Each structure stands twice: as C-alpha cells, then as structure tokens.
Amino acid sequence: MKTAIVETELKPLTRRQMAWRAAQDIVDGSYVNLGIGMPTLIADYVVAGREIIYHSENGLLGMGPAPPAGQEDLDLINAGKQYVTIVPGGSYFDSSVAFAMMRGGHLSMVFMGAFQVSESGDLANWSTNDEKALPAVGGAMDLAVGCKDIRVLMEHVTRDGKPRILKECTYPLTAKKVVKKIYTDHAVLDIDEKGFVVREMIEGLTFERLQKMTEAELHLDPQWRVLDVPEL
Amino acid sequence: MKTAIVETELKPLTRRQMAWRAAQDIVDGSYVNLGIGMPTLIADYVVAGREIIYHSENGLLGMGPAPPAGQEDLDLINAGKQYVTIVPGGSYFDSSVAFAMMRGGHLSMVFMGAFQVSESGDLANWSTNDEKALPAVGGAMDLAVGCKDIRVLMEHVTRDGKPRILKECTYPLTAKKVVKKIYTDHAVLDIDEKGFVVREMIEGLTFERLQKMTEAELHLDPQWRVLDVPEL
Amino acid sequence: MINKVVSTLAEALDGIQDGASILVGGFGSTGIPFQLIDALFEKDVRHLTIIANNAGNKEEGVARLLGGGRVDKIICTYPRSTDCYIMERLYKEGKIELELVPQGTFTERMRAAGAGIGGFYTPTGVGTKIAEGKEIRNFDGMDYVLERPLKADVALLKAQTADRWGNLAYNKTGMNFAPLMATAASLTVVQVSEIVELGGIDPQRVNTPGIFVQRVVQVGDPL
Amino acid sequence: MINKVVSTLAEALDGIQDGASILVGGFGSTGIPFQLIDALFEKDVRHLTIIANNAGNKEEGVARLLGGGRVDKIICTYPRSTDCYIMERLYKEGKIELELVPQGTFTERMRAAGAGIGGFYTPTGVGTKIAEGKEIRNFDGMDYVLERPLKADVALLKAQTADRWGNLAYNKTGMNFAPLMATAASLTVVQVSEIVELGGIDPQRVNTPGIFVQRVVQVGDPL
C-alpha cells in the first residue's frame, strides 16, 4: 500500500512573472544586458520612474522597445536578432567596444538564461553536451565575465523534473564562479561563500520541498520572504 | 712637415635638400608618417600629381599643411604639436586607432630622424644616454615597428664629425632591425642582408671618403648615381 | 590619384584564390555583404576558410557558400539558428571544420591582428572547453587564457557610405564587426549603398579610415 | 533618472583623495582639461600618480600639479618639451618618479584596462631599455614584449559636448587618449564646453558612450 503524501498545490511563476520579479531588482541608472530568451522579458516590468540603459552586444547602448509593425529598421537589431529601437541618449559602436563594456566590467547587471548553475556560481548555458548538435556560443561566455553582478533566470528544474541547481554542473561550463543570484519559478536564491541561500519561496512551498527539487545543499535565510508577484 | 691632402670642396645637402630627395621616393597613394623634425619638411617637396595621405599619431589621417596665420584651430595639431589642417577625405580617431595603423603595418612608409643607425638596421633616435637628461620616447618606438618601409633622414656625421652610421649603435635603441633606407647630406644608402649599400653620393664625393665618414662597412652599388638635388 | 572605387563586383573580388581565408562582416542579417558573397559564389573559388559571426540562414549569404561546397572551414561564434540547416547538415556529416570562438574573443582577435598585437590574455572562456589546450595565466589573482590574432587574406564588408579613399561610414548596428575586420585582412573589399565626394563624410563620422580599405563597390540596395 | 552633470568643479572632483592615480587627457595642448586640473590643484590632494602623455608646459596643466608638489610619480610618454622646466627640475633633483612608456603601449595598456584584458604582447620596445625586465616572447618568428593594463582611480578629461547620460563628443585631434582613458578609470570626470539634451549628440557621433563616464561639468572656454 502506497503512502499518499499530500502536498500543497503550488503555483510556480510563469516566465513573465519570473521576469517581473527580476525587474524589481534593477535600480535606477543601471546599465543592463538582458540575455537572449526569457531575460528580454524583464524590460517590460522595470519599476516606473527608473531610468535603465540597455546594452546589446552587437553594438548598441540605449536599446529601446520593439518598433511598431511596419516601422522596423533593417539596420537596427539587438543581439537576439530582433528589431529594436534606440532611445534618445543611445549610441552605436563596433563590437570591440561593445565587448569592452562587458569584459571590462562596465555593466551594472547582466541577466542570463541557464541550463545549470553550481553552488560555486559556475554557469552552464551554452551547450547540453550533445556531441551531434552544432555548438554555438555567441556572446555568452563574454557576458558571463567582467560584470560583477550576473544573475540567472531559469526554471527550478528541467521539464522532466531533474534539478538545474547543482553541486557541480554536468553540462559544459560557460564560466566559473560568476553567478550571484538566481530567479526560478519557485524561489529566489543568492550565491555566497557558503553556497545557495534561499531568500524567497513561492506561497505554500516548504524549504524541505524546495531542497528536494535541488541537488545542491540549500541554506534558508532566516529573513526569507514569500516570493510575491502579481498576476501577469 | 705636414702632407696636405687636397680634397675636393664638397657641398653637402641642406636639410631642405635632404627632404626633397626623400620626397621623390614617395609613390602616389602612399600612407606616410613624417616624424618630428626634418622629416616634416618632406611634405613640401612631394612630386606634383601624387596624392599622398599623411598620418599623425595623435589621431589624424589626411593631415594638410599649416593653416594661414590667424586661422589656427586650437584642436587641430599634429604629433609635433604644430597647428595643421585636415584635407577633404581626412579623418579623426582616437590614439589606439592611430597606433593600430602604425603597429599593425598599415602605413606605406615612415620617415624618421635619427642619432644613429646600425648596419643591421637598428635605430637609435630617442635618447643620447645622458643619465641626467629627462628621457622622452613619445611615439618613436611605435613608429619604428610595424611599417615595413622605415626610412631615416639624418646628417651623415655628428656636428663634431663623429660617425652616425655604425656597426652597432652606442645610444639606446629605439627598435632593432627596422631601418631600410637612409638619406644623409652626403649619400643615399639602403640596408640589406649584407649591410649598407651606397646608391647615391653627392657630386665630388668618393666612396673612400664616404667610408672614412662612416664606421660601418659600406658597399658601393655598381649602378650608383650622383645624388642630384635642386637648389632650394 | 587614389581611387579605390571599382565598377563591378567581379573587379572587387579580383585575385581571390582557392584556399583563401575570408572575413565576412555582419551580425544576424545586419551588415552582411550579400552581393559580394553572391559574387564570390559565382567566382567559384573553393577550399575557403570563412570567418564570420554566423553561418548564414536558408541558402543566403555564407550559407550559400557552404551549400555550394566552397568552404572547408568556418571560424564562427554562433553558427546555429532556426534556418541554418545547411551548416547543421554539413557539420553533422563531418563535411566542414568548425572553430568555435566566443564573440568577444573573436572581436578582440581580429582587433589584435589589425593592431599588430601578438597575443592577449582574456578572462573569457577560462575553465571551459574553449580554453582547452590553451595557456592559462594568472594575473593579480585572476585567470586569463592566451588568445592569438585572427587575420585573413580578404575581408568582405558592407557599409553605408564610402569615398574614393575608402573612408567608410556604417549605418547603426550594421557596423558590428566591420571596423575590426577591415583592419585584419590584406585585402578589404566593401560594398556600399552610396559613394560620395572626398570630404562628403564628416571626418568625425568616419568609422573606418580608408587606410584599412583596398576596394569599394557600389551596389543597389538588396531590399 | 540619470544625471551625471554636476554644477561645480569642486563637485566634479569630490572624493578624490591623497594617493590617487589620475589619468589626464590631452596631447600637447589639445584635449587638456585645464579647469579640472586647476581645481585639483586647489583641492590640495597629494602623493598623486599622474598618468598623462606630457608633463605640462610652463606652470600650466600637469606642470602646475608637479610644481605644487602634488605628484609623487608620473607615467608618461613624452615629459620633455621647450617649456617643461618644472618636470626637468624635479627629475634632475630626484624628486619625482618617472615611468616612461612608449605612446602606443601607453594607449594600448589603458585600452586593455578598460576592456578587461589581462595583458598583451606588443612588438614595441623589443630590444630596447623599455623591455628590460619584461617577458619577451616569440610568436611566428617575431619577438613581442608582455605589457600589462594601466588603470587608475580617476580620469580627468576634456570633451566638446556631453549630455546628462555622460555621452561625449570630442573635437578633432582634441580626442586623442580620452576615449581610452574614460574606460580605464573608476571615476571618469569630464569638462565640456556644451551640454545638450539627450539625443542632442547623433548616436553615430558619440565617441565615448556614457557608460564610461561618471561626472560631467560644463566650463567656459579657457581661451
């Protein structure tokens, strides 16, 4: 006879809610690079009144939102190859300058997607080690060095329930010891000297249950709060 | 009783004549840097109809002549800190680009002054080894690398008659094995694998007499010609 | 008189031979010199090494060269995309050699080639596959990997405006790698939309001074 | 809201302390931030390391700081000139430490600092006094010397135009080292002749994007 463990029905964040949560942490006047994929959603939820300057590694600082349909400029795209605009105060430059901004530590924050993050802050977000797949790295490795405040947005576990928050990454690394904070659909975690510290968990989630979803050892911040996001 | 050796009265080139002679060798379409001092005179004597583009390492390509008195632009100078102009087709850029042009081998020719040149093409033009003198190198060492065609303008001997064309330089080097051609007030010499080859000598000068003015061994090109320059 | 403007795409590519290494400008679809690439395809030179950020989409741009069997090796940062099936196929069939380079390192290696720098230490790639077999060195407590210049025989670029001296102005994010590639090739060939008189480009708006450019060809706008 | 514009020279220099390393823009007399230097003199900070191409003329610019006993060390490419008697005197009296750097290496070291490069190999200075004690390495048959980044606490620069985000446009050869210095300092302070609205500088004419600039102050033209 099976013992039924009745767990609270959880409501993990949607991708837009994760982006919303991350957006709250961007302070006024930040220079930010939003990696390709989920991080690009962050721009939609920045706190009103905060002036944020977006960097795109193909040579643009002061990136604005997508243009209205029909007004796309073929020579104005972002690193995700999407049509964008430039805001007043923006500038264009060549790729060496764009990467100097990243590698040289001039960005305030970088938000990236990831496959895996380790407890020492190792980041794996460019390859799943599939020998047959065509590898592609783009600017990921450069984005992951230089900036002192690198944050990751990712689901807490893979689609088939495997942990992404690990003692050691099993996928090829993008960079070692770089990730400072992770926003998942279940929690917000910092990485410090002792490893993962849980700062926020979604309503109804227990620390024990979050730990079960996580390979690496978690530490619960005694001041932890409920990860509270609006419906989006 | 002294034996009087009657030598022909020689007429060494003036500085302007040396510059004139060097100018004849600049072919149409060349990108040229004229070092501070005597080399800057070269621009006055370029062959009519040849389009030469002058580089200045403070961030200017397409340098034009000095402006008329009273029309100096305080923000437009050359590397010798003289007021200059820019020609149509000229451009401004930062120092890293200016030096990339030099170090990266993009200039066609560089003309520099020198204290000494050795038979392997070593150049000494930045320091006379005076321990008490304030040293200053500027762009000299950078100008002396990268370009495949580095030429020197200098008097054949020092004011007190000491040779400047040497087996080995006695002054601190600017760069090793870089000088390809020397224009002196007495001769024009190439430097190749066997050392100095005399291509031209002024009227009345003998090879023996030139050799006496020179510490390094000279080789006379069997096709040598008279170093013929107009009155200037 | 200096006149770097040539009349035809064929002239622009004159002298490019089998086995050449070719830098190709562009990021995504911006700054891609499509007409020069098409003309290179027509020229039918082979065993090329292509150095470009992407591997082209569908059967356009670099993908056309790949599909036509012109390319032995590609040095690339991001050869993958939705429509990049030619590169996918060649790679899976083992018919092309791929050297994968992080984009900042790609950029910096071309800059080094153009600026006469023999090598440089970058933090990018330390502790990853990219750094395998390369020298790692610690400066002031931080690890760096030694990277070498990336130069090529030819660069094929796109700019907005040129003059007969080869001065270039790019348009917006169409600039990307071009100013670096222009410095890193022995023969830099640029397709432009517009050719102006000398002085027609503001000297403070010249993105690539003509010293880095050997040939310019005007093309009709591709779109 | 981002507003990097400060009202006074004193505010512009706020927080600069004894012992600071300070990059000073300019070549000859172009691009020298004379007003910022004068204000730094008034501020009376000492034991500075000054990093500049020249050592100033007469009693102006960097020479004023030197003459006032503010500077322990200068990193410089060309400290000599007709009117550079203060530097001459201090050097002869052994009252200042001088690190002499070839100008291209000077430039490249600041660029490396700003671009996160840990070191680079340059051919400049090989076989000369400049390379003494430094690592020499042969790549492809050519010798290079290893040089390290040159970073500083502060950069004092001059530009023509700025906006409140710190975007800068320089005037002609007044640009010289400034775009590199702006990237190599923790605190980049710029004196400008003109402040314009955001967007008032053509985005393709911005020489230094505001990300590299912390403070901007408008000054009257010195002449």
Side-chain angles (χ1 to χ4, degrees):
Chain A
M1 201 180 92
K2 272 185 169 172
T3 310
I5 301 172
V6 181
E7 292 192 317
T8 318
E9 182 83 34
L10 292 177
K11 214 177 148 200
L13 306 194
T14 63
R15 290 161 61 87
R16 294 210 151 264
Q17 287 177 313
M18 290 163 67
W20 181 92
R21 176 62 195 84
Q24 307 313 301
D25 290 344
I26 307 180
V27 301
D28 191 29
S30 297
Y31 291 92
V32 178
N33 184 297
L34 302 177
I36 295 168
M38 190 170 10
T40 59
L41 300 174
I42 292 175
D44 294 345
Y45 303 112
V46 161
V47 177
R50 294 187 187 169
E51 200 170 44
I52 314 298
I53 299 178
Y54 297 103
H55 169 268
S56 189
E57 64 265 31
N58 57 322
L60 172 58
L61 192 68
M63 178 169 59
Q71 290 181 43
E72 295 85 359
D73 181 333
L74 297 175
D75 277 337
L76 183 42
I77 63 170
N78 67 11
K81 300 169 191 168
Q82 300 162 309
Y83 292 114
V84 293
T85 51
I86 187 170
V87 301
S91 53
Y92 300 106
F93 33 82
D94 73 45
S95 301
S96 73
V97 176
F99 281 88
M101 290 176 186
M102 295 152 63
R103 206 193 302 104
H106 304 281
L107 294 177
S108 315
M109 301 170 96
V110 171
F111 293 88
M112 303 176 89
F115 299 132
Q116 302 177 332
V117 176
S118 87
E119 64 189 8
S120 60
D122 293 354
L123 172 68
N125 75 351
W126 74 282
S127 164
T128 55
N129 232 355
D130 175 354
E131 284 295 322
K132 279 193 188 145
L134 183 59
V137 62
M141 288 189 182
D142 302 280
L143 265 175
V145 301
C147 180
K148 295 282 170 280
D149 194 353
I150 290 176
R151 304 184 180 206
V152 159
L153 273 74
M154 65 177 184
E155 277 80 23
H156 204 92
V157 296
T158 65
R159 277 181 210 173
D160 49 354
K162 297 223 178 73
R164 294 169 177 273
I165 296 182
L166 306 171
K167 287 195 175 67
E168 293 289 339
C169 296
T170 61
Y171 287 162
L173 294 186
T174 305
K176 286 180 81 78
K177 298 188 186 180
V178 294
V179 179
K180 296 292 183 291
K181 199 175 195 88
I182 309 179
Y183 303 91
T184 80
D185 50 354
H186 286 75
V188 176
L189 307 93
D190 282 349
I191 300 179
D192 68 13
E193 316 76 50
K194 54 178 183 292
F196 291 106
V197 181
V198 179
R199 304 290 189 201
E200 300 177 27
M201 292 186 290
I202 55 169
E203 189 72 51
L205 182 61
T206 62
F207 181 67
E208 294 65 32
R209 197 163 160 191
L210 186 66
Q211 179 65 73
K212 267 193 226 159
M213 298 165 65
T214 311
E215 191 218 57
E217 187 187 356
L218 300 180
H219 306 270
L220 186 63
D221 179 354
Q223 314 285 314
W224 76 274
R225 294 183 308 151
V226 170
L227 173 42
D228 196 21
V229 298
E231 291 300 323
L232 293 171
Chain B
M1 199 183 91
K2 273 186 170 172
T3 308
I5 301 175
V6 182
E7 292 191 320
T8 316
E9 182 82 35
L10 292 176
K11 212 177 149 202
L13 306 194
T14 63
R15 289 161 62 88
R16 293 211 151 261
Q17 286 177 312
M18 290 163 68
W20 181 91
R21 176 60 194 86
Q24 307 314 300
D25 290 344
I26 307 180
V27 299
D28 191 29
S30 297
Y31 290 93
V32 177
N33 185 298
L34 302 177
I36 296 168
M38 189 171 11
T40 59
L41 300 175
I42 291 175
D44 294 344
Y45 303 113
V46 161
V47 177
R50 294 186 188 168
E51 200 170 43
I52 313 297
I53 300 178
Y54 297 103
H55 168 269
S56 189
E57 64 264 32
N58 57 321
L60 173 57
L61 192 66
M63 177 170 60
Q71 291 182 41
E72 296 84 0
D73 180 333
L74 295 176
D75 277 338
L76 183 42
I77 63 169
N78 66 12
K81 299 169 191 170
Q82 300 162 308
Y83 292 114
V84 293
T85 51
I86 186 171
V87 300
S91 54
Y92 300 107
F93 33 82
D94 73 44
S95 302
S96 73
V97 176
F99 281 88
M101 291 176 186
M102 293 152 65
R103 208 193 301 104
H106 304 281
L107 295 178
S108 316
M109 301 169 97
V110 170
F111 292 88
M112 303 177 88
F115 299 132
Q116 300 178 333
V117 177
S118 85
E119 63 190 8
S120 61
D122 293 355
L123 172 68
N125 74 351
W126 73 282
S127 164
T128 55
N129 233 355
D130 176 355
E131 285 295 322
K132 279 192 188 148
L134 182 58
V137 62
M141 287 188 182
D142 301 280
L143 265 176
V145 301
C147 180
K148 295 282 169 281
D149 194 353
I150 291 176
R151 305 185 180 206
V152 159
L153 272 76
M154 65 178 185
E155 277 82 24
H156 205 92
V157 296
T158 65
R159 275 181 212 173
D160 48 355
K162 296 224 178 74
R164 293 168 177 273
I165 296 181
L166 307 171
K167 286 196 176 65
E168 294 288 340
C169 296
T170 59
Y171 287 163
L173 294 187
T174 305
K176 286 180 80 77
K177 299 188 186 179
V178 294
V179 179
K180 296 293 184 292
K181 199 176 194 88
I182 309 178
Y183 302 90
T184 80
D185 50 353
H186 285 74
V188 177
L189 307 93
D190 282 348
I191 300 180
D192 68 14
E193 316 77 50
K194 55 179 184 291
F196 291 107
V197 180
V198 179
R199 304 292 189 200
E200 301 176 26
M201 293 187 289
I202 55 170
E203 189 72 51
L205 181 62
T206 62
F207 180 68
E208 293 66 32
R209 196 162 162 193
L210 186 68
Q211 180 65 74
K212 267 193 225 160
M213 298 164 65
T214 311
E215 190 219 57
E217 187 187 355
L218 300 180
H219 306 270
L220 186 64
D221 177 356
Q223 313 286 314
W224 76 275
R225 295 183 308 152
V226 170
L227 173 42
D228 196 20
V229 298
E231 290 301 322
L232 294 170
Chain C
M1 193 181 105
I2 301 170
N3 187 9
K4 298 181 181 181
V5 179
V6 299
S7 324
T8 66
L9 289 161
E11 272 180 90
L13 300 181
D14 186 46
I16 299 178
Q17 297 187 330
D18 283 4
S21 55
I22 304 188
L23 298 161
V24 181
F27 183 105
S29 57
T30 59
I32 306 271
F34 283 110
Q35 281 90 330
L36 283 171
I37 297 171
D38 287 344
L40 186 66
F41 180 87
E42 300 303 333
K43 194 175 168 70
D44 198 19
V45 286
R46 291 178 179 258
H47 304 297
L48 301 176
T49 294
I50 294 292
I51 305 163
N53 190 58
N54 307 108
N57 283 320
K58 297 178 187 164
E59 274 134 74
E60 294 164 359
V62 168
R64 189 165 181 218
L65 297 175
L66 296 174
R70 308 295 202 274
V71 183
D72 288 359
K73 178 177 179 178
I74 185 162
I75 303 176
C76 199
T77 93
Y78 208 86
R80 204 165 58 203
S81 85
T82 357
D83 289 323
C84 194
Y85 47 82
I86 292 179
M87 180 65 198
E88 287 270 0
R89 175 171 57 74
L90 291 175
Y91 183 76
K92 282 176 187 165
E93 292 173 355
K95 287 189 176 152
I96 193 161
E97 185 186 348
L98 168 66
E99 179 180 339
L100 194 71
V101 184
Q103 202 171 116
T105 301
F106 179 75
T107 305
E108 197 68 11
R109 288 179 62 194
M110 295 186 297
R111 184 189 175 277
I117 297 298
F120 59 89
Y121 290 98
T122 177
T124 304
V126 168
T128 77
K129 276 188 178 181
I130 294 293
E132 279 171 19
K134 292 176 185 165
E135 177 185 315
I136 303 294
R137 186 154 173 173
N138 192 288
F139 292 108
D140 302 332
M142 194 163 149
D143 281 337
Y144 296 84
V145 54
L146 175 64
E147 295 282 359
R148 299 293 317 286
L150 182 54
K151 62 183 76 174
D153 299 320
V154 180
L156 302 183
L157 307 176
K158 178 186 171 184
Q160 174 92 340
T161 310
D163 61 27
R164 67 176 173 84
W165 281 9
N167 290 305
L168 306 179
Y170 304 97
N171 189 37
K172 301 173 185 164
T173 59
M175 180 175 356
N176 55 69
F177 306 99
L180 310 155
M181 288 181 167
T183 71
S186 307
L187 173 66
T188 293
V189 183
V190 189
Q191 67 170 65
V192 299
S193 306
E194 184 189 22
I195 291 172
V196 297
E197 289 297 299
L198 277 192
I201 308 174
D202 176 349
Q204 307 196 104
R205 174 65 175 81
V206 171
N207 300 119
T208 291
I211 192 171
F212 298 124
V213 174
Q214 280 69 48
R215 293 179 195 158
V216 169
V217 61
Q218 188 172 8
V219 297
D221 224 310
L223 293 151
Chain D
M1 192 181 106
I2 302 168
N3 187 10
K4 298 182 180 179
V5 179
V6 298
S7 324
T8 64
L9 289 161
E11 272 180 89
L13 300 180
D14 187 46
I16 299 178
Q17 298 187 327
D18 283 5
S21 54
I22 304 188
L23 297 160
V24 181
F27 183 105
S29 58
T30 60
I32 306 270
F34 283 109
Q35 282 91 330
L36 284 171
I37 297 171
D38 287 345
L40 185 67
F41 179 88
E42 300 304 334
K43 194 175 168 71
D44 198 18
V45 286
R46 291 177 179 259
H47 304 297
L48 301 176
T49 294
I50 294 292
I51 305 163
N53 190 59
N54 307 108
N57 283 319
K58 297 177 185 162
E59 273 135 74
E60 294 165 358
V62 168
R64 190 166 180 218
L65 297 174
L66 296 173
R70 308 294 202 274
V71 183
D72 287 359
K73 178 178 178 178
I74 185 163
I75 302 177
C76 198
T77 92
Y78 209 86
R80 204 166 58 204
S81 85
T82 358
D83 289 323
C84 193
Y85 48 82
I86 292 179
M87 179 65 198
E88 287 268 0
R89 175 172 56 74
L90 291 175
Y91 182 78
K92 280 176 189 165
E93 290 171 356
K95 286 187 177 154
I96 192 161
E97 185 187 348
L98 168 66
E99 179 181 338
L100 194 71
V101 184
Q103 203 171 114
T105 301
F106 180 75
T107 305
E108 197 68 12
R109 287 179 63 193
M110 296 187 295
R111 182 187 177 277
I117 297 298
F120 60 89
Y121 290 98
T122 178
T124 304
V126 168
T128 77
K129 276 187 177 181
I130 294 294
E132 277 171 20
K134 293 178 185 163
E135 177 186 315
I136 303 295
R137 185 153 172 175
N138 192 290
F139 293 109
D140 302 332
M142 194 161 148
D143 282 339
Y144 294 85
V145 55
L146 176 64
E147 294 282 358
R148 297 294 317 286
L150 182 55
K151 62 184 74 174
D153 299 320
V154 180
L156 302 182
L157 307 177
K158 177 185 171 184
Q160 173 92 340
T161 309
D163 61 28
R164 67 176 173 84
W165 282 9
N167 290 306
L168 306 179
Y170 304 97
N171 189 37
K172 301 174 184 163
T173 59
M175 179 174 357
N176 54 70
F177 306 99
L180 310 156
M181 289 180 167
T183 72
S186 308
L187 173 66
T188 293
V189 183
V190 189
Q191 67 169 65
V192 299
S193 306
E194 184 191 22
I195 291 173
V196 296
E197 288 297 299
L198 277 192
I201 308 175
D202 175 349
Q204 308 198 102
R205 173 66 175 79
V206 171
N207 300 119
T208 291
I211 193 171
F212 298 123
V213 174
Q214 281 69 48
R215 293 179 195 158
V216 169
V217 61
Q218 188 172 8
V219 298
D221 224 310
L223 293 150

